[in-house]
Structures are given as C-alpha cells and as structure tokens.
Amino acid sequence: MESSLQEEAARVLADDGTIALDERLRLVLLCAHPSLAAESAAALTLRLVLGVSTEDVARLFLVPTPTMAARLTRARKRLAGESFAVPVDAAELTPRVAGVAAIAYLAFTAGYAPGSGPDVVRAELAGEAIRLVRVLRTVLPYDDPELDALLALMLLQHSRRDARIAADGTLVLLPDQDRTRWRVEEITEALDLLRPLVGAPPAPYLLQALVAAEHAIAPTAAATAWDRIVLRYDELLALGDSPVVRLNRAVAVAEASGPEAGLAALDGVTMPGHRLPAVRAELLARAGRADEALAAYDEAIGRCANLAERDHLVARRANM
C-alpha cells in the first residue's frame, strides 16, 4: 500500500495543475478515511502525499519521531485495499472535509515554519497547501465558512513570506519585517473572505485568521492591537485548551502588558521542541533577568532542529 500511494502521489504532484477534479484531492480524501484516527489521517497525508519528513510531521503533532514513524506504519496498513473514490454522500464527505482542512493547515505550517533543515520558509509546500484548500472549496457541493476562514488565515500568513527572509538568508521576525514586502493582493483577498464572517460564532480557523488580520491591518508593529489579539486567544482557549494557543497568547500578553505578564501566562505550559524556551528566553531578557534568559536560550538552541531559527537564537543570545 505504501508503494502504491507513493507512486500515485509522485504522478499527481508532477501534474501542471490543469486536472479538472484535482487528483490530489482524491489522495487526501483517501488518507482522511474514517477508518483512521484524525491525527493518523493528517500525518499520513503529510508524509505520503505532500512529502513532509517524518521528523517534521512528529514536530507538528508534538510527539517523538519514533512514535510518529510507528503511527504512520499502522495507518498505511489500515488503509490497505481501500478505494481512491471521492465520497458522494454528504454524511460521509463532511467529516472528511474537516480532516482535509486540518491536513492542509498542518502542511501549510510545515512550509511556513519548517521544523528542521536550513530553510526559513518552504514556500512551495505552503503554496501547495493553499491550492489544496482552493480545490476543496471549488468542488464541495456546499459552502463551508471555516474553509473560507482557513484560506484567509493561510493567505495572510503566506503574504509575509518574502519579508521573513533577509538578503543574507537569515530569519526576520514579524516586528522587524519590511511591510512593503508583504503581498498586498493576498492580504486583500484574505480580508475580503473574512468580512462576511465578522460576527459569526467563534471557530478555530476564524479566530486564528482574525489574529493574523490584526497584524495585516496594523501600519506598524508598534500599532498592533495586542489587546484584541489577547481576546481572540481567550476565545480560542474557550473552544479547546492547547499549549500552542497558550504559548501564542503569552506572547500577545507580553506585548500588551509587559514581559512579566507574559511569563506569568506561560506558567504551567509544557511542550516539546524549542519554541517554548525560546519565548521564555526573549521575555526573560526583556524583563532584565539575564542569567535565566541565557539558560533558556541554551535550552532553545539545544532543542532547535531548524538551522535558520537556531542561528537566530544564537545571535539573540550573543547580543544580550
């Protein structure tokens, strides 16, 4: 089953984008088969259809690489003999669509913020994830506001890809980016998608897209409405607790209320990888707690597998 999926994926990913009903959608819907748990479906699609490394898939799911490798093997075996046909019954299609949306955003994340390797951004992978959502919106027999919100979220983040990389190839964080390099046409499309959704019931992709929109409409980093962003993260936490949301909320709290408030918001947050100690290091440095900041930077550097981010952390530590 693995070899047949990989062969089909290789053929599909070589197409020129002119296939009317994108074959990639059929592959992803197969991987989102109801016989698989949601996380296994997402992981299998990322690995076999979009070519994300097992290490990066593991990072996205916050599990060790060997655990993810075993999960992928079990998922491939479970799908043996299943059909590539697209479901026609809405009752069967709807839950798979939600799975595909989750897969697309994970794939986008793997391109926008690679967990390993030398790249600051893998724009081609992020662009493929966006294309997948566009195809899904086109072929669905009904409107899905969360898909609109997901596309808006991805476009807003993707619009900053040029500004995230300096001339020497190093990482440029959001506050330091040249906003004239943001892609206005993508921001405009995203905001047009979001306008009809303002006032809609809270939903995960919508709330994240509204956070991204706050950055897009702020004329400068200093003018960002961090208080509104904190409220959006509060709404996200009300929908479901998550260490990633808590981490991002702590960053927003620090911008709105100072580094000590941000550090307090991190109390109790645990997650693998380098991002948590990296955020702690930055906030500790801002708070003047140099010794603790150095230790946190050392931890973040030791955990970081992305070379561009690691170089950035090393430079931040050296410039304390």
Side-chain angles (χ1 to χ4, degrees), residues 50 104-105 107-108 124-134 154:
L50 292 176
Y105 191 45
F108 177 83
E124 185 173 324
L125 175 58
E128 283 296 317
I130 290 173
R131 181 169 179 263
L132 182 60
V133 174
R134 289 193 189 279
M154 295 162 79

Side-chain angles (χ1 to χ4, degrees), residues 226 230 233-234 248-263 265:
W226 288 105
V230 172
Y233 280 126
D234 287 340
N248 291 333
R249 180 184 179 276
V251 172
V253 167
E255 295 292 344
S257 304
E260 291 290 358
L263 288 165

